[in-house]
Amino acid sequence: MSGERVQHTSYSVDVAAPAGVVYALLADTTQWPLFVPPSIHVERLDFDGTSDRFGMWATAGGTVTSWVSRRSLDPARRTIDFHQEVPAPPATAMSGRWEVAELAGGRSRLTLHHRFAVAPGDGAGARWLADATDANSHAELQQLKRTAEQWTALDGLLLSFEDSVRVEGPPELVYDFLYRAGDWPAHLPEVTRAHVAEDRTGVQLLTMDTRAADGTTDTSESVRICLPHAGRIVYKRTRTPRLLAAHTGEWSVDPDETGVTAVASHRVLLRAEDIEPVLGPGADLAQARDHVRRSLGGACTRVLHLARRHAETAVPSLSARR
């Protein structure tokens, strides 16, 4: 870092949960998009239990950025050291440490340290990076605190599921329909508006208005990471309906010898305090899980069927042109 301006930051929060619970939330990077607000998607590259290497997409300073990180985990000391292999500009270096200290009464203290640098003379970049690090660190600590403090109920608040549709058509056309979400209002009557901004290739910001059965309109906002060579689109809703504390998902197109399987998968963290206000007095967690499973699963299955029709009806047209 010779000649670079190195900055150090440190943030802490006390958590009403055991240190082991807090450390477990930090240790599994694949769950971060649910528990760490700036995180959009984590693609784990290597993991042997103590060394972790992954690609990360996250929001920072109002933009979506990405990098590759390495981490060293020490469960005995409850520390995790990290550094970015390929720092996201304007950073020229980024590293730090997570620490979880055990306190009395089953409580713990979570601390996040950063050490980062920008190129010499890049004052604007240094200010932007300091502000983004500050905002993200506070958001991360507060959400991790809220999540950890629900640890006795967390298994019930987490929900994962998927739906699939078999397609007899080209996988490229299935993917094309899923990719062009801006066209969905022409095919789905409940979607009244869909706007896609793709200022960076493969990173879409989707804003969508959906009309419910009672006539009300819900506006959702998502960041979508498009991976066409893998036949995948992963996303995180950055504006969620009231019942969902977090929602991530994936569209995947899996070809084989006889056709294509199109899959919509979801991971959800429910907001317990909103169950009765949303579903009515007396509603419980089981009803909330069933409601989310049916509403999200039903909506995405309709999209999969439309993608199937798009691919299968195009096949005769393509053949006729030859």
Side-chain angles (χ1 to χ4, degrees):
M1 295 187 188
S2 177
E4 298 174 327
R5 180 182 176 186
V6 180
Q7 298 187 63
H8 302 261
T9 61
S10 182
Y11 306 87
S12 294
V13 65
D14 286 357
V15 185
V21 169
V22 179
Y23 183 83
L25 292 180
L26 294 172
D28 184 2
T29 53
T30 64
Q31 293 275 58
W32 276 21
L34 287 178
F35 303 146
V36 180
S39 299
I40 301 299
H41 176 62
V42 174
E43 195 81 6
R44 178 167 272 170
L45 305 174
D46 297 295
F47 183 62
D48 64 6
T50 58
S51 297
D52 192 8
R53 182 171 179 264
F54 55 92
M56 168 77 80
W57 286 260
T59 55
T63 64
V64 179
T65 186
S66 61
W67 62 86
V68 175
S69 280
R70 282 191 180 273
R71 304 193 310 164
S72 297
L73 290 77
D74 188 337
R77 298 173 59 195
R78 297 195 184 96
T79 62
I80 301 174
D81 292 306
F82 62 87
H83 74 274
Q84 293 182 6
E85 281 187 357
V86 183
T92 56
M94 173 69 77
S95 61
R97 169 177 283 195
W98 294 92
E99 297 176 350
V100 185
E102 188 172 0
L103 303 178
R107 299 174 60 84
S108 56
R109 177 166 297 150
L110 173 60
T111 302
L112 172 58
H113 304 281
H114 280 104
R115 184 171 184 259
F116 53 89
V118 299
D122 187 4
R127 288 188 295 273
W128 183 91
L129 188 56
D131 289 344
T133 302
D134 181 74
N136 280 10
S137 296
H138 283 296
E140 291 168 9
L141 291 177
Q142 289 304 315
Q143 183 58 45
L144 285 165
K145 170 183 168 69
R146 284 191 291 269
T147 303
E149 289 179 348
Q150 301 178 87
W151 67 281
T152 58
L154 196 55
D155 284 348
L157 295 173
L158 290 169
L159 178 62
S160 299
F161 59 92
E162 67 176 37
D163 297 285
S164 63
V165 169
R166 192 68 179 162
V167 183
E168 295 180 2
E172 296 83 2
L173 291 180
V174 180
Y175 185 89
D176 176 69
F177 185 89
L178 299 174
Y179 172 80
R180 292 188 294 105
D183 295 343
W184 290 356
H187 306 281
L188 290 159
E190 67 269 28
V191 178
T192 58
R193 181 179 71 97
H195 177 262
V196 176
E198 190 169 349
D199 297 331
R200 175 183 167 193
T201 301
V203 178
Q204 296 182 337
L205 307 181
L206 170 63
T207 304
M208 189 162 63
D209 293 341
T210 305
R211 186 173 50 243
D214 61 4
T216 60
T217 297
D218 172 64
T219 299
S220 66
E221 297 175 356
S222 304
V223 177
R224 307 204 319 163
I225 310 300
C226 303
L227 307 167
H229 297 298
R232 299 168 62 210
I233 299 173
V234 295
Y235 64 89
K236 177 176 178 176
R237 291 173 73 172
T238 53
R239 178 176 175 178
T240 58
R242 191 174 175 186
L243 188 57
L244 307 186
H247 173 209
T248 66
E250 178 174 336
W251 303 99
S252 60
V253 181
D254 303 318
D256 56 36
E257 296 81 1
T258 61
V260 175
T261 302
V263 182
S265 60
H266 303 268
R267 292 193 300 171
V268 171
L269 175 63
L270 298 173
R271 189 178 284 114
E273 63 270 24
D274 283 341
I275 293 176
E276 289 198 44
V278 171
L279 300 181
D284 59 16
L285 181 57
Q287 290 172 284
R289 291 171 64 88
D290 179 66
H291 170 80
V292 169
R293 175 67 179 91
R294 286 186 291 105
S295 59
L296 287 181
C300 288
T301 299
R302 287 193 292 275
V303 174
L304 292 178
H305 281 293
L306 287 168
R308 178 182 66 182
R309 187 174 69 182
H310 175 72
E312 292 180 347
T313 57
V315 173
S317 299
L318 291 173
S319 299
R321 296 176 187 172
R322 294 192 179 101

